Amino acid sequence: MILLPCPYCGLRNASEFRYVGELSERPDPNATGIEDWRAFLYMRDNPAGWTTETWFHRAGCRRHFVVERHTVTNEVRDSRLPAAQLRDREDERATGGNVADDRGGATY
Amino acid sequence: MGIFNNRNGSENGYRKPARYSAFDLFRRGLSRADWPRAWRKHDLRPSYDVVVVGGGVHGLATAYYLAANHGITDVAVLEKGYIGSGGSGRNTAIIRSNYLTPEGVRFYDRSVKLYETLSADLNFNAMFAQRGHLTLAHNDGSLRTMRWRAEVNKLEGVNSEVIGPDEIKRLVPYIDTSEDVRYPILGALYHPPGGIIRHDAVVWGYARGADAYGAHIHQNTEVTGIDVVDGRVGGVKTNRGDIATRVVVNCTAGWATLISGMAGVRMPISTFPLQAAVTEPVRPFLDPVIVSGTLHVYVSQTDRGELVFGASVDPFTSYSMRGTLEFTEGLAGHVLELMPSLSRMRVLRQWAGLCDMTPDFSPIMGTTPVAGFLIDVGWGTYGFKAGPVSGETMAELIATGKTPELIAPFGLDRFERGDLMGEKGAAAVGH
Amino acid sequence: MSMRLKPQPGEVIDRGRRFRFTWNGEAYPAYEGDTIVSALAACGERVFSRSFKYHRPRGLLTASFLDPGCMVQVGDEPNVRGAHRRVEPGMVVSPQNVWPSLRFDIKSANGAFGRFLSAGFYYKTFIKPRRLWPAYRSVLRRFSAGGVVSPDSSHGYFDKRYAHPDVVVAGGGPAGMAAAIAAAEAGAQVLLVEEEYELGGHLRWGNEAELAALRELRGEVGSTAGIEVMTNSVVNGRYDGNWVAVLQRNLPHVVERLVKARAKTLVVAPGLIERPYVFEGNDAPGVVLSGAVRRLVNLYAVKPGERAVVLSANESGDAAAEDLERAGVEVARVVDARRGGDVVRANGGGKGVRSVECADGTKIDCDLLVTAVGWTAPTSLLNMAGDRPVYDGRAARFFPSRLTEDVLVTGGLAGDGTLEELLAHARATGRDAAGRATRTGRALRAGIPQHADGQPELAQSPPVEYPKLPVYDHPALFRGKTHGIVDYSEDVTSKDLVAAEKEGYDAIELAKRYTTVTMGSAQGKLETVNAVAIMAEATGSTIEETGTTVWRPPYAPITLGALAGRIFEPVRYSPMQPWHERHGAKPLVAGAWIRPDHYGDPASEVRNVRENVGLIDVTPLGKFDLRGPDVPRLLNHLYVNEWSNLDVGAVRYGVMCLEDGVIFDDGVTGRLGSDRYILTATSSGAASVWEWIDNWLQTAKPGWRIHITPVTTAYASINVAGPKSRDLLLRLAEGVDLSPDAFPYMRVRTGRIASVDGCFMWRIGFTGELSYEIHVPAAYGLHVWEALMERGADLGVKPFGVEAQRILRLEKGHFIVGQDTDGLTGPYGVGLGRMVKLDKDDFAGKPELAWQGERGDYLRLVGLQPHDGSLVPPEASQIIEDKNGVVGRITSSRMSPTLGRSICLGFVAPHLATPGTTLLVQLPDGERIPIRVTQHHAHFDPEGTRQRG
């Protein structure tokens, strides 16, 4: 069983997590044509190699996070918070917000 | 149809294979004469009319029906390993047609029909054992789905019915049908024409048949690129050299995204490992195939006495075929919930194959935006049982240029149109 | 005839404990420590099974776990390794695969027809006529091998354990023991796993010096802190992340146990497996491997025969010859394969070897032929770790090639050498393993995020110096000058492999699949290398080019019981469960929950709700407490309808879609305070809804200020339904004005019920009656339920179950997500198109719903009533049109106790959805009955006057 590095909890058995899926950027729902929206819904890169994907620590901290994993070896080289949270933290920092924990890009 | 009574095949390259029969077995046994090769080795030609990528049951059946039904014999089947080394040799060999949608039922019913006469057509005994197929229902919802499938099946002329726990117990005395278990059995979809087959023999039979008509089967030949010029296919590159061709058929599983990607066609596919395991043999005690969607398990007993198990696909995408311990642990727990007296049977071997899952649990067949690049992919966990009909319909598509009605619902464009198939409910664990 | 020898220095039998057991219906003596087969061999028995295909008699070959001819049935346990399993007093052992008996087997006639039953013969015959194939098949099935399981076989007790060693050592021979000792001395926690009953490997059947070394090593293992020893256990698999499975056998009261460990380092030291030699007659009883002789004589004090020929290519063969001499066996000849000697065939009938023909033309009478032709490296665990071992022609065996950081190899798998050289290598390996485990442990700890900066630097421990092991030359002996058995358990001959190659099955994997070589009980540990060598010879290529088949887990067969362990399938009950049980509720398994389906008569439960008042336990309803100023934004995003204007005290129904526009869940949400909401989801959808919300909040809208708390089990939920529900609640509710004006339909109130604070209740109407869904702190659920039952007795209050609720809601025309919707159903199809607010800025599935609204070709959910109100078409019955086939289906159907007729919901094609249309439904028996599309989904009180009362 592979181990996954949760940015909050550290390395844990993969059985604690749920695989959410290949990371894909949601298009603007008000400015997207049918073709792009359906591509977002259904089309996948599905590479045999490094892929970026979302996982959910279902039996742990219940946090979604982003993982870079090799789909042939199942090796994991990076895990980090979702981009929206990282952006959010950047914003907070820019506005002098209180950043309690900036360990966003823990690398393994 | 068949290699021996079909005379439509091209004269070019046709070689009547050595006949297989009890008499010939006896004759050669007496004379101790060797049997000839079931399929030949060839040099790679610089061009073929049709290049089939993938030497599994789909690819070989396509080559066979191209020749047998349409007289197209200038065909190369390219296989990066040995024939049948992918999903065709890794599945649990279950055949059935008790699907949910009328389109699915019609399609798989044709496959079962082809399987029924396959041994005779190919003169190769694939040992199809129609022992019946039971899909257990452990709750109201799945019992309703079983009834749905039974009703659609009956309307399509396919033999399926919902039976109760007593009948289940009669068919399989080893099953625990008591009510005081965690997942009591409320009923089952019973599908008498379902059963199991020797999966490798299907591959070999088609290979031998296609070879007899002159198709070239190239093993250890890996496709490394596909030439697309002005939106149409011009040829393929392989580790053994380049081939010029105007028709390329992607009949791969596990690598479908990558092969289509070579032609610049994006796929709605995620690749998941699907694992299976086999026990040591015991004396035959289990006739039908048993499936439980709730418990994520299916079981059959081979003619050799082994139990063959499968489950749903792994919980995350991967191209790894190393297998996991969690799989056998979960599997064993679920098997023993169904049949507690098997606790001392031993698992001998586990393995994995790759499944190309699509969003609606249905395959993707037909043309693509690239002219001459055809696909027969996205077979999820149900590709083996569709091998013959896929070969037959893809061959028809190639030969006639028209998409056969049986596969019209499975086109790639359905995703852009938003016309997904309705198999999702029934196919989650669909063996 | 007793073949038991006088006491041997290394014997493992306890001559003070003699008992009897049953073999093949007769009583046999044994000593404690005997295996089943050693006890039988001591009594002169030589045949223990019949082979799979030809039903040839089979005896001892390896005298180890792998011995293919020694598979027996023990009681209700099939396929027991008789040459490994220790015999017990009273054990009932019987032969497998014999018919009618071990001594006279009818199917052995197959042997005479062997030339016609070449590998894969079944692919070439029984083809026509097709109608006879089932009959052929049933005959073929009679030939299946193996023991028997019965439906009454006891399950037995199994369990699992997690172990947390730093280093796992697979193999408890001298190298494994030395590695374990060195690793433990370096501070590692070590798990040392040995397949046999004692540590020691080949030292156990060795000479004085080896026995002395064994005693010393065992002593050290015992006295070194930090080593846990598991014998009769096997490292069964190495999975990704060095996740190691250990199978522990024959524990007290546990049939088998699966031990799982996240090994920081795995040391693979299984030793080598002796390889059989392929020649004519090589499977006759009396043809044995040198290791079998050494075990029989030295461990079990059993004389293996009377007159022997030994074919020796190595020290093991020479030592076996010495053992035989010492045991009083006449060694007629030692044929030295290192000097070109060879054996051509073994002659003999059913009883075993009678003579041996050598390559020099001599023929020697004997009852024992011992072969020692070389070794197979059991690289399975390395293959599982991604290694591709390479063949070394000089040593005639495979060696590891590329190991990962967390896997090390020592012992015979790593090289040859004297005992001292091997032990030195093993000690270095143990030290290295401990060092690597330390580094891995530090990295693991460093991976856990900490608030304080500055994680410990990884100390660079110095690289361990390994003594280099020599590799000895060994003759490459696989097949001799004749053909023989390659796979004993599958009855595959070398001739079969050659024939398969000629027919085009020329890759080793194809030949394996065609002939079934290596697919039997030993999974290739005895057969693979011979098969590869024979294929290489047949194809004119080398063993390197031919490659091997893939070794797959498990290393040794493991029971389903051990893999399953104790089966834990937790279930959930509401706090009112004791009451339900006391009152005869019939349980319904609903996902994780067990709920009352009914209390005896669902129809009367329905009538009581319509006429008086009923209580249903709806605790499994998914409930989430949402707080924060951005909750309306979230609700707007999750649901297709509008939520910005939900007042405090209001409740609203909503439908959720996924991004593909398909209905995902539904439920009501109430606003309890200015920034406090309770969102409900279906029982089965609750977990997914929670995760869906988390996903949006964490990955897309992290800035929204919302806290979500699951309160499904924090509240016990009771729906009080029926015209007298207000009367009942008036008696128990405090602090809530229940008058219709003060507390109208679709409103929520907080207050006190039956003296319990912190309750909330809302007026909603799944049953179509005046009803209050009350949610009380779970600890008081039973109390409130009992109070309602007691105080409502004169009002006719009765419980009702899920079945009655299904009828009530169907009468009222409410759909159930997942039953009246499927994987393609959007809100338009169920008649909720008007709810979809496309003018909201964004919500899940918005673009799809915009397009869905324009299409109009979706199936429509409609109310349906059969013309004949006494017929209830079963749910999933299909709606048929002659020209179009299936045009719809019944999704829900029941006999309505209220209306006295059958009622349904169903999907129909758009052109058939007009109220009043008559359609045909096909019943399961094939009869088609007319059914009418009704005006509304609701069959009863479509205006909703009752629920608004």
Side-chain angles (χ1 to χ4, degrees):
Chain A
M1 175 161 25
I2 65 167
L3 290 164
L4 281 173
C6 171
Y8 298 92
C9 310
L11 282 166
R12 297 294 185 94
N13 285 349
S15 54
E16 292 184 11
F17 301 84
R18 191 174 79 81
Y19 170 74
V20 178
E22 199 176 275
L23 193 69
S24 54
E25 190 76 9
R26 183 175 187 250
D28 179 348
N30 297 313
T32 304
I34 210 161
E35 197 174 322
D36 288 344
W37 182 262
R38 297 255 160 90
F40 156 71
L41 283 183
Y42 302 123
M43 295 298 165
R44 297 290 178 266
D45 290 340
N46 193 34
W50 291 106
T51 186
T52 308
E53 57 200 13
T54 307
W55 286 76
F56 175 59
H57 198 179
R58 175 169 51 182
C61 61
R62 288 193 62 87
R63 292 286 147 178
H64 289 79
F65 61 101
V66 176
V67 165
E68 285 181 31
R69 180 176 61 96
H70 196 283
T71 60
V72 179
T73 64
N74 287 332
E75 185 188 346
V76 174
R77 70 178 177 193
D78 187 37
S79 88
R80 54 180 181 264
L81 304 188
Q85 287 190 47
L86 293 176
R87 273 199 300 274
D88 214 49
R89 287 176 182 212
E90 287 299 318
D91 296 346
E92 282 180 33
R93 201 169 288 142
T95 59
N98 180 21
V99 181
D101 176 4
D102 62 356
R103 292 180 37 84
T107 302
Y108 298 88
Chain B
M1 188 193 326
I3 324 174
F4 293 95
N5 46 26
N6 184 303
R7 291 281 167 261
N8 300 331
S10 154
E11 294 302 309
N12 171 32
Y14 182 79
R15 177 197 65 153
K16 182 173 173 171
R19 189 179 181 83
Y20 292 165
S21 72
F23 174 74
D24 290 276
L25 206 60
F26 180 69
R27 193 169 53 84
R28 284 184 195 258
L30 280 184
S31 65
R32 298 185 185 271
D34 292 331
W35 292 91
R37 285 186 70 93
W39 52 88
R40 292 160 286 180
K41 284 183 173 174
H42 301 278
D43 291 331
L44 208 61
R45 274 193 212 143
S47 78
Y48 288 93
D49 288 347
V50 179
V51 170
V52 177
V53 185
V57 56
H58 283 247
L60 293 164
T62 300
Y64 171 77
Y65 291 112
L66 273 172
N69 294 358
H70 306 285
I72 298 171
T73 59
D74 186 25
V75 176
V77 179
L78 310 183
E79 167 54 52
K80 78 169 177 178
Y82 57 94
I83 57 170
S85 54
S88 298
R90 296 167 186 271
N91 68 85
T92 47
I94 296 168
I95 309 291
R96 64 181 177 91
S97 60
N98 58 353
Y99 279 72
L100 179 69
T101 60
E103 297 88 345
V105 176
R106 281 195 283 274
F107 180 76
Y108 287 97
D109 183 43
R110 175 64 189 157
S111 214
V112 170
K113 295 280 178 355
L114 287 169
Y115 268 127
E116 283 173 346
T117 61
L118 194 69
S119 296
D121 290 341
L122 297 176
N123 180 235
F124 199 110
N125 193 350
M127 295 183 278
F128 186 18
Q130 293 183 285
R131 306 199 214 148
H133 183 285
L134 280 174
T135 313
L136 304 175
H138 302 265
N139 56 53
D140 284 358
S142 67
L143 191 58
R144 200 177 302 118
T145 306
M146 297 313 139
R147 225 181 280 127
W148 184 356
R149 285 164 66 178
E151 291 308 308
V152 173
N153 286 192
K154 279 188 261 183
L155 287 165
E156 296 295 334
V158 167
N159 187 0
S160 293
E161 59 180 320
V162 173
I163 60 174
D166 292 347
E167 182 75 353
I168 296 168
K169 188 79 181 174
R170 197 184 60 75
L171 288 166
V172 188
Y174 286 68
I175 281 198
D176 184 355
T177 50
S178 57
E179 287 179 17
D180 55 347
V181 295
R182 176 66 182 85
Y183 299 104
I185 294 168
L186 306 184
L189 179 66
Y190 181 44
H191 177 54
I196 56 172
I197 198 165
R198 258 300 284 153
H199 54 358
D200 292 322
V202 175
V203 171
W204 301 331
Y206 274 123
R208 177 164 163 268
D211 172 86
Y213 280 114
H216 285 190
I217 296 164
H218 296 293
Q219 301 185 78
N220 301 309
T221 307
E222 185 171 357
V223 172
T224 55
I226 297 173
D227 297 328
V228 178
V229 182
D230 296 334
R232 83 158 292 130
V233 164
V236 299
K237 293 186 167 58
T238 79
N239 61 339
R240 290 174 60 205
D242 295 353
I243 302 169
T245 184
R246 292 177 65 78
V247 180
V248 173
V249 196
N250 180 1
C251 288
T252 61
W255 291 267
T257 308
L258 310 180
I259 298 292
S260 289
M262 290 176 188
V265 178
R266 220 165 163 232
M267 289 282 119
I269 283 176
S270 299
T271 300
F272 288 81
L274 177 66
Q275 301 191 56
V278 64
T279 67
E280 294 180 342
V282 292
R283 308 299 294 172
F285 70 91
L286 176 64
D287 218 34
V289 178
I290 299 173
V291 181
S292 164
T294 302
L295 292 171
H296 303 288
V297 66
Y298 42 96
V299 190
S300 68
Q301 188 173 24
T302 68
D303 288 337
R304 292 157 46 84
E306 304 148 326
L307 293 188
V308 177
F309 303 124
S312 41
V313 295
D314 279 7
F316 57 92
T317 62
S318 182
Y319 285 82
S320 156
M321 288 188 273
R322 290 180 295 278
T324 64
L325 180 62
E326 303 83 89
F327 162 74
T328 42
E329 291 182 272
L331 179 82
H334 291 146
V335 168
L336 293 181
E337 289 211 30
L338 291 178
M339 294 184 276
S341 58
L342 305 187
S343 63
R344 284 179 171 81
M345 284 192 73
R346 293 183 178 82
V347 170
L348 195 52
R349 180 171 70 248
Q350 70 177 103
W351 68 93
L354 299 181
C355 290
D356 287 339
M357 305 306 294
T358 59
D360 58 357
F361 291 79
S362 295
I364 313 171
M365 300 178 77
T367 57
T368 66
V370 175
F373 183 69
L374 308 177
I375 51 176
D376 169 26
V377 300
W379 280 105
T381 63
Y382 23 84
F384 178 74
K385 44 185 76 60
V389 68
S390 301
E392 190 185 49
T393 50
M394 289 305 290
E396 186 184 336
L397 169 59
I398 295 162
T400 65
K402 289 205 270 296
T403 302
E405 201 174 321
L406 268 185
I407 64 169
F410 303 134
L412 175 63
D413 56 355
R414 74 175 184 274
F415 296 99
E416 200 180 308
R417 285 203 320 269
D419 287 331
L420 272 61
M421 299 294 300
E423 285 292 349
K424 204 166 181 171
V429 176
H431 295 261
Chain C
M1 175 179 52
S2 176
M3 302 293 275
R4 191 74 78 176
L5 301 165
K6 64 178 180 11
Q8 302 293 310
E11 71 181 22
V12 298
I13 51 173
D14 180 349
R15 292 180 190 250
R17 290 168 181 263
R18 192 178 146 94
F19 54 82
R20 300 180 85 79
F21 71 107
T22 306
W23 160 247
N24 204 12
E26 288 172 35
Y28 284 78
Y31 290 120
E32 188 164 300
D34 259 325
T35 66
I36 292 167
V37 160
S38 73
L40 293 173
C43 297
E45 291 296 332
R46 306 196 81 185
V47 178
F48 307 110
S49 68
R50 291 272 174 170
S51 71
F52 168 57
K53 192 158 103 184
Y54 304 125
H55 282 250
R56 292 159 67 98
R58 290 281 163 78
L60 270 165
L61 180 71
T62 70
S64 70
F65 187 88
L66 297 176
D67 207 324
C70 300
M71 302 270 275
V72 295
Q73 176 100 20
V74 175
D76 57 10
E77 183 179 358
N79 302 326
V80 171
R81 270 60 182 178
H84 171 85
R85 177 71 62 87
R86 282 192 172 162
V87 68
E88 291 165 17
M91 200 179 236
V92 178
V93 186
S94 45
Q96 297 185 164
N97 210 26
V98 292
W99 184 58
S101 76
L102 185 61
R103 288 192 182 85
F104 175 75
D105 189 304
I106 289 175
K107 284 181 280 191
S108 61
N110 281 0
F113 296 106
R115 64 163 77 169
F116 310 115
L117 302 183
S118 54
F121 76 92
Y122 30 79
Y123 299 127
K124 298 192 178 84
T125 184
F126 309 133
I127 294 170
K128 282 181 175 175
R130 192 159 71 86
R131 69 192 150 76
L132 285 185
W133 164 237
Y136 293 142
R137 217 192 95 234
S138 66
V139 174
L140 276 181
R141 283 194 100 186
R142 290 203 69 98
F143 285 88
S144 59
V148 180
V149 290
S150 94
D152 313 314
S153 295
S154 61
H155 181 277
Y157 180 85
F158 298 88
D159 64 17
K160 293 186 191 181
R161 178 188 151 194
Y162 287 94
H164 302 277
D166 298 310
V167 176
V168 174
V169 180
M177 287 194 282
I181 294 161
E185 282 173 351
Q189 292 291 318
V190 180
L191 180 60
L192 174 61
V193 184
E194 166 55 38
E195 186 172 15
E196 308 244 356
Y197 286 80
E198 309 97 16
L199 292 175
H202 67 269
L203 295 181
R204 292 182 303 147
W205 49 84
N207 57 29
E208 286 293 334
E210 287 166 319
L211 288 174
L214 172 60
R215 281 190 294 275
E216 194 178 326
L217 280 166
R218 280 185 182 162
E220 270 190 80
V221 168
S223 63
T224 308
I227 304 179
E228 179 180 358
V229 177
M230 290 184 185
T231 54
N232 195 11
S233 300
V234 58
V235 174
N236 230 3
R238 185 274 182 194
Y239 298 90
D240 283 358
N242 240 17
W243 186 238
V244 170
V246 180
L247 168 63
Q248 219 181 346
R249 304 189 190 106
N250 290 23
L251 295 151
H253 314 300
V254 181
V255 182
E256 280 184 350
R257 172 181 292 154
L258 176 63
V259 180
K260 298 185 274 185
R262 177 77 64 185
K264 297 191 184 81
T265 321
L266 172 64
V267 176
V268 183
L272 297 171
I273 293 172
E274 191 168 21
R275 200 172 58 232
Y277 191 44
V278 181
F279 59 95
E280 192 177 331
N282 66 340
D283 66 328
V287 177
V288 301
L289 306 189
S290 67
V293 164
R294 306 214 62 200
R295 285 162 188 258
L296 280 178
V297 172
N298 295 298
L299 298 180
Y300 306 108
V302 171
K303 188 177 172 186
E306 300 295 345
R307 184 177 156 88
V309 171
V310 179
L311 171 66
S312 177
N314 54 37
E315 287 176 3
S316 178
D318 302 343
E322 286 170 29
D323 285 342
L324 289 172
E325 299 266 11
R326 198 160 41 80
V329 179
E330 182 190 347
V331 178
R333 184 162 166 195
V334 175
V335 180
D336 196 331
R338 289 157 292 197
R339 296 196 179 80
D342 199 358
V343 161
V344 177
R345 70 175 52 83
N347 303 306
K351 292 263 162 58
V353 182
R354 278 201 298 269
S355 67
V356 167
E357 292 174 42
C358 299
D360 60 8
T362 53
K363 183 173 172 179
I364 306 157
D365 289 341
C366 63
D367 64 351
L368 190 67
L369 169 59
V370 182
T371 68
V373 298
W375 309 97
T376 291
T379 57
S380 312
L381 292 172
L382 306 180
N383 290 69
M384 295 174 209
D387 188 22
R388 295 269 175 78
V390 292
Y391 182 71
D392 181 333
R394 218 158 40 88
R397 67 178 200 260
F398 284 83
F399 285 91
S401 70
R402 44 166 208 236
L403 296 173
T404 49
E405 173 71 17
D406 50 11
V407 177
L408 294 170
V409 170
T410 188
L413 217 49
D416 298 308
T418 62
L419 182 60
E420 286 68 32
E421 286 173 309
L422 284 162
L423 290 178
H425 183 272
R427 280 188 218 103
T429 306
R431 282 195 301 277
D432 194 8
R436 291 182 188 209
T438 307
R439 290 198 291 279
T440 306
R442 285 202 193 114
L444 284 171
R445 283 189 294 277
I448 299 168
Q450 289 153 20
H451 285 283
D453 280 344
Q455 291 162 2
E457 283 293 305
L458 296 189
Q460 289 297 319
S461 37
V464 172
E465 291 286 331
Y466 276 86
K468 190 160 172 53
L469 284 178
V471 173
Y472 296 159
D473 288 357
H474 194 291
L477 295 165
F478 306 102
R479 183 175 78 85
K481 294 173 179 63
T482 47
H483 283 289
I485 294 285
V486 178
D487 190 320
Y488 294 79
S489 38
E490 296 288 311
D491 258 358
V492 179
T493 67
S494 48
K495 218 184 258 179
D496 289 329
L497 286 169
V498 172
E501 191 277 332
K502 287 204 172 96
E503 286 189 51
Y505 305 91
D506 47 7
I508 181 68
E509 285 284 356
L510 282 174
K512 165 184 156 184
R513 286 155 181 275
Y514 190 66
T515 64
T516 73
V517 73
T518 76
M519 290 173 88
S521 59
Q523 287 289 291
K525 292 180 193 69
L526 297 175
E527 309 90 357
T528 294
V529 178
N530 281 339
V532 169
I534 289 158
M535 287 302 289
E537 185 190 343
T539 54
S541 55
T542 64
I543 288 178
E544 295 91 314
E545 287 161 353
T546 305
T548 64
T549 56
V550 180
W551 302 87
R552 299 186 191 283
Y555 182 81
I558 176 170
T559 57
L560 291 173
L563 285 167
R566 292 171 65 195
I567 297 172
F568 298 106
E569 290 276 7
V571 294
R572 301 173 113 180
Y573 294 109
S574 92
M576 288 81 94
Q577 179 65 16
W579 193 95
H580 303 320
E581 281 175 16
R582 280 201 308 276
H583 292 81
K586 170 142 191 324
L588 173 76
V589 179
W593 292 90
I594 309 289
R595 312 180 57 179
D597 192 16
H598 57 78
Y599 300 82
D601 182 4
S604 81
E605 292 167 20
V606 168
R607 281 190 288 270
N608 193 58
V609 170
R610 294 275 180 243
E611 289 160 16
N612 298 308
V613 56
L615 299 186
I616 180 168
D617 180 350
V618 291
T619 303
L621 185 75
K623 298 178 283 284
F624 298 95
D625 188 324
L626 303 179
R627 308 222 183 185
D630 291 318
V631 172
R633 293 168 84 178
L634 175 68
L635 297 175
N636 265 335
H637 201 84
L638 296 171
Y639 290 104
V640 301
N641 48 329
E642 179 59 55
W643 289 86
S644 312
N645 52 0
L646 189 73
D647 301 331
V648 174
V651 173
R652 186 170 295 169
Y653 171 78
V655 170
M656 263 181 219
C657 290
L658 295 180
E659 293 277 51
D660 60 2
V662 171
I663 294 178
F664 167 49
D665 206 75
D666 70 346
V668 298
T669 295
R671 187 169 183 186
L672 273 60
S674 61
D675 66 349
R676 186 186 174 202
Y677 298 76
I678 295 284
L679 177 152
T680 67
T682 60
S683 310
S684 55
S688 310
V689 167
W690 187 19
E691 206 173 308
W692 180 235
I693 295 172
D694 272 344
N695 193 346
W696 279 114
L697 291 179
Q698 293 170 23
T699 69
K701 312 290 180 190
W704 288 1
R705 287 159 298 169
I706 296 168
H707 275 291
I708 172 165
T709 310
V711 291
T712 301
T713 50
Y715 287 98
S717 303
I718 303 165
N719 195 293
V720 186
K724 297 178 186 168
S725 56
R726 183 179 291 121
D727 300 341
L728 174 54
L729 272 188
L730 278 168
R731 299 177 183 182
L732 285 155
E734 297 168 60
V736 185
D737 184 350
L738 291 172
S739 65
D741 295 337
F743 187 0
Y745 184 58
M746 292 308 271
R747 304 298 287 184
V748 59
R749 296 290 180 265
T750 54
R752 201 173 141 88
I753 299 171
S755 311
V756 176
D757 283 323
C759 302
F760 66 92
M761 65 190 88
W762 46 37
R763 275 193 62 187
I764 54 170
F766 201 45
T767 60
E769 292 299 322
L770 171 67
S771 76
Y772 298 83
E773 195 160 279
I774 63 177
H775 304 272
V776 305
Y780 298 101
L782 183 57
H783 160 75
V784 172
W785 178 278
E786 285 176 336
L788 287 164
M789 289 305 300
E790 192 185 317
R791 297 294 298 278
D794 61 313
L795 298 172
V797 67
K798 295 258 169 55
F800 65 105
V802 173
E803 174 59 19
Q805 190 188 44
R806 285 179 182 156
I807 298 171
L808 288 159
R809 69 92 198 174
L810 182 58
E811 290 179 340
K812 186 67 185 122
H814 289 302
F815 70 89
I816 295 177
V817 173
Q819 174 167 347
D820 302 295
T821 69
D822 61 39
L824 301 179
T825 308
Y828 295 93
V830 294
L832 296 180
R834 66 183 186 285
M835 272 178 67
V836 179
K837 288 288 177 284
L838 292 172
D839 53 357
K840 288 195 291 185
D841 177 50
D842 186 13
F843 60 96
K846 180 181 174 185
E848 283 295 333
L849 290 169
W851 299 316
Q852 209 178 84
E854 291 161 13
R855 279 181 70 146
D857 60 349
Y858 42 82
L859 294 176
R860 308 295 206 271
L861 190 71
V862 294
L864 294 161
Q865 290 187 355
H867 288 195
D868 180 348
S870 70
L871 294 174
V872 184
E875 288 167 358
S877 294
Q878 300 294 301
I879 297 171
I880 314 295
E881 215 179 22
D882 279 337
K883 59 178 189 297
N884 292 322
V886 174
V887 289
R889 69 175 195 279
I890 305 290
T891 58
S892 294
S893 64
R894 286 291 187 276
M895 177 58 71
S896 163
T898 310
L899 301 173
R901 68 157 1 270
S902 54
I903 54 170
C904 314
L905 278 175
F907 273 115
V908 297
H911 69 284
L912 302 171
T914 317
T917 310
T918 289
L919 307 166
L920 286 177
V921 176
Q922 177 155 327
L923 303 180
D925 63 5
E927 193 194 344
R928 293 183 180 187
I929 60 161
I931 192 165
R932 182 178 55 88
V933 178
T934 57
Q935 186 70 39
H936 305 281
H937 288 181
H939 299 274
F940 175 69
D941 187 25
E943 298 77 24
T945 48
R946 296 175 72 92
Q947 67 194 17
R948 290 171 198 281

